[in-house]
Amino acid sequence: AQSVTQPDIHITVSEGASLELRCNYSYGATPYLFWYVQSPGQGLQLLLKYFSGDTLVQGIKGFEAEFKRSQSSFNLRKPSVHWSDAAEYFCAVADRSGGGADGLTFGKGTHLIIQP
Amino acid sequence: AAGVIQSPRHLIKEKRETATLKCYPIPRHDTVYWYQQGPGQDPQFLISFYEKMQSDKGSIPDRFSAQQFSDYHSELNMSSLELGDSALYFCASSLGAAGNTIYFGEGSWLTVV
């Protein structure tokens, strides 16, 4: 079974500074990978996804992520954070082997705090 | 653009009661997923449907059941509610399965008292 590890429970970054959120996955082959963002009491918004092809994926709100097969990682980055980026960030993986509507497996999330 | 619609947004039930959550997927999406997110937790996959048939099953309790109807909307039925069922329940939809982008609704807050 696949699993996702987000090693950082909380990260504090100053506004305007760069950001990197870590995500490692465990899966037998190349999975489908996602990053979602959740504001308090809100739903999950898709930031970006990786299915195949170019390993550097561009998403919304200036985010990007890089798939590194050798490290089983899919880290999320942003060159300059804004106060509105404060939220919970979830990395998720989907099984691409079965062909069915497999559910996503989420990491535990990283809580991003933005300092003025 | 139309999103995934969930109702009700908030629900308060007593222990041992029954609750039903409804989900209306994005138009033309044929796949529906249900997730449960406890306070401070990551979302946990419950169950999914593709073309009105159950496709995958996660950590859904036996007290819960779900189905997808002919118009592709889905309902999650929860019986014998327990305090631990208090959570945010997400519905999500996608066009097809096998990893296509999954879009989430705003969620339904269930509080069991």
Side-chain angles (χ1 to χ4, degrees), chain A residues 78-100:
Chain A
K78 186 170 184 177
S80 176
V81 297
H82 186 262
W83 65 266
S84 60
D85 293 324
E88 192 80 17
Y89 290 79
F90 291 98
C91 181
V93 62
D95 186 354
R96 64 188 300 174
S97 64

mmCIF file of all heavy atoms in Angstrom, chain A residues 78-100:
data_model
loop_
_atom_site.group_PDB
_atom_site.id
_atom_site.type_symbol
_atom_site.label_atom_id
_atom_site.label_comp_id
_atom_site.label_asym_id
_atom_site.label_seq_id
_atom_site.Cartn_x
_atom_site.Cartn_y
_atom_site.Cartn_z
ATOM 1 N N LYS A 78 7.888 27.570 -3.434
ATOM 2 C CA LYS A 78 7.392 28.880 -3.880
ATOM 3 C C LYS A 78 8.496 29.883 -3.620
ATOM 4 O O LYS A 78 9.050 29.919 -2.507
ATOM 5 C CB LYS A 78 6.111 29.276 -3.146
ATOM 6 C CG LYS A 78 5.485 30.560 -3.687
ATOM 7 C CD LYS A 78 4.102 30.799 -3.126
ATOM 8 C CE LYS A 78 3.477 32.043 -3.763
ATOM 9 N NZ LYS A 78 2.082 32.290 -3.306
ATOM 10 N N PRO A 79 8.853 30.699 -4.596
ATOM 11 C CA PRO A 79 10.003 31.599 -4.434
ATOM 12 C C PRO A 79 9.758 32.725 -3.425
ATOM 13 O O PRO A 79 10.708 33.164 -2.773
ATOM 14 C CB PRO A 79 10.233 32.165 -5.840
ATOM 15 C CG PRO A 79 8.998 31.852 -6.610
ATOM 16 C CD PRO A 79 8.316 30.715 -5.960
ATOM 17 N N SER A 80 8.516 33.162 -3.271
ATOM 18 C CA SER A 80 8.244 34.280 -2.374
ATOM 19 C C SER A 80 6.821 34.121 -1.826
ATOM 20 O O SER A 80 5.856 34.233 -2.574
ATOM 21 C CB SER A 80 8.385 35.608 -3.131
ATOM 22 O OG SER A 80 8.034 36.698 -2.299
ATOM 23 N N VAL A 81 6.721 33.871 -0.544
ATOM 24 C CA VAL A 81 5.407 33.596 0.040
ATOM 25 C C VAL A 81 4.698 34.893 0.411
ATOM 26 O O VAL A 81 5.324 35.916 0.711
ATOM 27 C CB VAL A 81 5.486 32.683 1.273
ATOM 28 C CG1 VAL A 81 6.042 31.327 0.881
ATOM 29 C CG2 VAL A 81 6.301 33.312 2.392
ATOM 30 N N HIS A 82 3.374 34.800 0.417
ATOM 31 C CA HIS A 82 2.510 35.918 0.782
ATOM 32 C C HIS A 82 1.744 35.526 2.025
ATOM 33 O O HIS A 82 1.542 34.333 2.296
ATOM 34 C CB HIS A 82 1.557 36.206 -0.392
ATOM 35 C CG HIS A 82 0.703 37.400 -0.225
ATOM 36 N ND1 HIS A 82 -0.602 37.330 0.218
ATOM 37 C CD2 HIS A 82 0.962 38.724 -0.428
ATOM 38 C CE1 HIS A 82 -1.118 38.537 0.271
ATOM 39 N NE2 HIS A 82 -0.200 39.397 -0.115
ATOM 40 N N TRP A 83 1.277 36.516 2.790
ATOM 41 C CA TRP A 83 0.562 36.197 4.029
ATOM 42 C C TRP A 83 -0.630 35.283 3.753
ATOM 43 O O TRP A 83 -1.008 34.454 4.572
ATOM 44 C CB TRP A 83 0.111 37.470 4.747
ATOM 45 C CG TRP A 83 -0.898 38.285 3.990
ATOM 46 C CD1 TRP A 83 -0.664 39.321 3.158
ATOM 47 C CD2 TRP A 83 -2.317 38.084 3.985
ATOM 48 N NE1 TRP A 83 -1.825 39.793 2.634
ATOM 49 C CE2 TRP A 83 -2.866 39.073 3.124
ATOM 50 C CE3 TRP A 83 -3.187 37.196 4.614
ATOM 51 C CZ2 TRP A 83 -4.228 39.165 2.890
ATOM 52 C CZ3 TRP A 83 -4.545 37.306 4.389
ATOM 53 C CH2 TRP A 83 -5.052 38.282 3.524
ATOM 54 N N SER A 84 -1.229 35.411 2.564
ATOM 55 C CA SER A 84 -2.410 34.605 2.241
ATOM 56 C C SER A 84 -2.070 33.133 1.994
ATOM 57 O O SER A 84 -2.975 32.314 1.835
ATOM 58 C CB SER A 84 -3.103 35.172 1.006
ATOM 59 O OG SER A 84 -2.233 35.164 -0.103
ATOM 60 N N ASP A 85 -0.780 32.802 1.957
ATOM 61 C CA ASP A 85 -0.394 31.401 1.776
ATOM 62 C C ASP A 85 -0.477 30.604 3.082
ATOM 63 O O ASP A 85 -0.330 29.375 3.057
ATOM 64 C CB ASP A 85 1.042 31.311 1.230
ATOM 65 C CG ASP A 85 1.155 31.843 -0.178
ATOM 66 O OD1 ASP A 85 0.204 31.656 -0.964
ATOM 67 O OD2 ASP A 85 2.202 32.462 -0.493
ATOM 68 N N ALA A 86 -0.694 31.278 4.185
ATOM 69 C CA ALA A 86 -0.818 30.573 5.461
ATOM 70 C C ALA A 86 -1.997 29.617 5.404
ATOM 71 O O ALA A 86 -3.136 30.030 5.155
ATOM 72 C CB ALA A 86 -0.996 31.567 6.589
ATOM 73 N N ALA A 87 -1.724 28.338 5.608
ATOM 74 C CA ALA A 87 -2.761 27.304 5.459
ATOM 75 C C ALA A 87 -2.140 25.957 5.793
ATOM 76 O O ALA A 87 -0.965 25.859 6.171
ATOM 77 C CB ALA A 87 -3.306 27.279 4.030
ATOM 78 N N GLU A 88 -2.944 24.918 5.638
ATOM 79 C CA GLU A 88 -2.465 23.545 5.788
ATOM 80 C C GLU A 88 -2.237 22.981 4.386
ATOM 81 O O GLU A 88 -3.085 23.139 3.509
ATOM 82 C CB GLU A 88 -3.517 22.701 6.530
ATOM 83 C CG GLU A 88 -3.036 21.351 6.989
ATOM 84 C CD GLU A 88 -2.215 21.425 8.280
ATOM 85 O OE1 GLU A 88 -2.293 22.440 8.978
ATOM 86 O OE2 GLU A 88 -1.495 20.448 8.559
ATOM 87 N N TYR A 89 -1.094 22.339 4.209
ATOM 88 C CA TYR A 89 -0.740 21.801 2.905
ATOM 89 C C TYR A 89 -0.632 20.280 2.995
ATOM 90 O O TYR A 89 0.047 19.749 3.882
ATOM 91 C CB TYR A 89 0.589 22.391 2.416
ATOM 92 C CG TYR A 89 0.453 23.852 2.055
ATOM 93 C CD1 TYR A 89 0.446 24.830 3.041
ATOM 94 C CD2 TYR A 89 0.309 24.244 0.727
ATOM 95 C CE1 TYR A 89 0.301 26.170 2.721
ATOM 96 C CE2 TYR A 89 0.159 25.580 0.386
ATOM 97 C CZ TYR A 89 0.147 26.539 1.393
ATOM 98 O OH TYR A 89 -0.007 27.856 1.064
ATOM 99 N N PHE A 90 -1.314 19.623 2.081
ATOM 100 C CA PHE A 90 -1.325 18.166 2.064
ATOM 101 C C PHE A 90 -0.731 17.654 0.758
ATOM 102 O O PHE A 90 -1.126 18.083 -0.326
ATOM 103 C CB PHE A 90 -2.747 17.626 2.186
ATOM 104 C CG PHE A 90 -3.388 17.845 3.529
ATOM 105 C CD1 PHE A 90 -4.254 18.901 3.742
ATOM 106 C CD2 PHE A 90 -3.120 16.962 4.578
ATOM 107 C CE1 PHE A 90 -4.847 19.095 4.982
ATOM 108 C CE2 PHE A 90 -3.716 17.147 5.819
ATOM 109 C CZ PHE A 90 -4.570 18.212 6.018
ATOM 110 N N CYS A 91 0.182 16.713 0.889
ATOM 111 C CA CYS A 91 0.681 15.961 -0.234
ATOM 112 C C CYS A 91 -0.134 14.669 -0.314
ATOM 113 O O CYS A 91 -0.501 14.104 0.725
ATOM 114 C CB CYS A 91 2.164 15.645 -0.019
ATOM 115 S SG CYS A 91 2.967 14.735 -1.344
ATOM 116 N N ALA A 92 -0.431 14.209 -1.515
ATOM 117 C CA ALA A 92 -1.249 13.010 -1.648
ATOM 118 C C ALA A 92 -0.757 12.174 -2.825
ATOM 119 O O ALA A 92 -0.167 12.694 -3.775
ATOM 120 C CB ALA A 92 -2.722 13.378 -1.840
ATOM 121 N N VAL A 93 -1.043 10.894 -2.736
ATOM 122 C CA VAL A 93 -0.642 9.956 -3.785
ATOM 123 C C VAL A 93 -1.834 9.111 -4.171
ATOM 124 O O VAL A 93 -2.696 8.804 -3.336
ATOM 125 C CB VAL A 93 0.538 9.073 -3.319
ATOM 126 C CG1 VAL A 93 0.136 8.213 -2.116
ATOM 127 C CG2 VAL A 93 1.041 8.180 -4.433
ATOM 128 N N ALA A 94 -1.931 8.768 -5.441
ATOM 129 C CA ALA A 94 -2.977 7.883 -5.923
ATOM 130 C C ALA A 94 -2.335 6.714 -6.636
ATOM 131 O O ALA A 94 -1.314 6.861 -7.317
ATOM 132 C CB ALA A 94 -3.922 8.630 -6.865
ATOM 133 N N ASP A 95 -2.972 5.575 -6.488
ATOM 134 C CA ASP A 95 -2.507 4.358 -7.119
ATOM 135 C C ASP A 95 -2.823 4.420 -8.606
ATOM 136 O O ASP A 95 -3.964 4.654 -8.987
ATOM 137 C CB ASP A 95 -3.193 3.164 -6.469
ATOM 138 C CG ASP A 95 -2.676 1.831 -6.962
ATOM 139 O OD1 ASP A 95 -1.846 1.801 -7.896
ATOM 140 O OD2 ASP A 95 -3.112 0.807 -6.415
ATOM 141 N N ARG A 96 -1.849 4.206 -9.443
ATOM 142 C CA ARG A 96 -2.109 4.265 -10.877
ATOM 143 C C ARG A 96 -2.087 2.890 -11.534
ATOM 144 O O ARG A 96 -2.112 2.762 -12.749
ATOM 145 C CB ARG A 96 -1.099 5.171 -11.576
ATOM 146 C CG ARG A 96 0.335 4.667 -11.512
ATOM 147 C CD ARG A 96 1.301 5.698 -12.059
ATOM 148 N NE ARG A 96 1.027 6.025 -13.446
ATOM 149 C CZ ARG A 96 1.658 6.991 -14.109
ATOM 150 N NH1 ARG A 96 2.559 7.722 -13.497
ATOM 151 N NH2 ARG A 96 1.380 7.242 -15.352
ATOM 152 N N SER A 97 -2.084 1.853 -10.703
ATOM 153 C CA SER A 97 -1.951 0.522 -11.275
ATOM 154 C C SER A 97 -3.281 -0.155 -11.529
ATOM 155 O O SER A 97 -3.417 -0.954 -12.446
ATOM 156 C CB SER A 97 -1.104 -0.361 -10.354
ATOM 157 O OG SER A 97 -1.773 -0.534 -9.109
ATOM 158 N N GLY A 98 -4.277 0.158 -10.712
ATOM 159 C CA GLY A 98 -5.509 -0.632 -10.767
ATOM 160 C C GLY A 98 -6.488 -0.190 -11.831
ATOM 161 O O GLY A 98 -7.320 -0.965 -12.276
ATOM 162 N N GLY A 99 -6.440 1.079 -12.205
ATOM 163 C CA GLY A 99 -7.389 1.552 -13.187
ATOM 164 C C GLY A 99 -8.734 1.928 -12.620
ATOM 165 O O GLY A 99 -9.586 2.439 -13.322
ATOM 166 N N GLY A 100 -8.944 1.709 -11.350
ATOM 167 C CA GLY A 100 -10.218 2.056 -10.749
ATOM 168 C C GLY A 100 -10.172 3.412 -10.084
ATOM 169 O O GLY A 100 -9.179 4.119 -10.155
#
